[in-house]
Amino acid sequence: MANFYCEYCGQKYSSVSALTAGTCSRHPEGSGRGKHKLYEGPEQSKYICEYCGQTYSSISAMVAGTCSRHPLGSCKGKHHPFIGGIKSRYTCKYCGQSYTSLSALTVGTCSRHPQGSGKGKHEPSM
């Protein structure tokens, strides 16, 4: 039987309809101000933050903390699960540079970022 997880709070549900029926305590707009959002990646033994590359044993453990490399600024938002999973190499979706870890990829600024050269971090492609 498949499990379904909320991308914002990490709660586990037995169906998508059960997940999307309730409001989320960790919704980006505030507690109870929006519905749970389906995490669309595979169920895994470890989850990796898309913004900083830290690994966690569960989505709920990941999204409990703030991320030092969040796009809104350091610690201004929660960690976000990378749906691409753990890989041997990560490639920036804007410039194509490749790194052996997601943390190495996301630490650098990207010359082809949509906000302008050097105005945003590399972001991983799926």
Side-chain angles (χ1 to χ4, degrees), residues 4-126:
F4 303 92
Y5 297 88
C6 173
E7 188 175 293
Y8 301 139
C9 69
Q11 282 188 306
K12 178 171 67 171
Y13 293 86
S14 59
S15 71
V16 174
S17 60
L19 181 145
T20 57
T23 58
C24 183
S25 62
R26 292 196 179 140
H27 193 276
E29 293 179 15
S31 181
R33 292 184 172 225
K35 301 279 186 184
H36 293 287
K37 180 181 178 188
L38 176 65
Y39 164 71
E40 296 187 51
E43 192 167 14
Q44 306 173 91
S45 61
K46 289 193 177 196
Y47 297 89
I48 188 167
C49 176
E50 180 176 352
Y51 305 138
C52 70
Q54 286 186 296
T55 57
Y56 296 86
S57 60
S58 68
I59 295 174
S60 58
M62 174 186 291
V63 298
T66 57
C67 183
S68 62
R69 295 186 191 156
H70 194 277
L72 297 176
S74 183
C75 299
K76 291 188 177 181
K78 303 285 186 184
H79 292 286
H80 185 267
F82 177 57
I83 62 172
I86 296 176
K87 302 177 178 183
S88 60
R89 298 216 44 98
Y90 298 88
T91 304
C92 176
K93 65 182 174 183
Y94 302 125
C95 70
Q97 286 190 17
S98 182
Y99 296 83
T100 57
S101 73
L102 196 51
S103 59
L105 173 83
T106 58
V107 74
T109 56
C110 181
S111 62
R112 295 186 184 158
H113 196 275
Q115 294 175 348
S117 181
K119 293 187 178 181
K121 303 280 187 189
H122 292 292
E123 291 183 26
S125 63
M126 296 302 138

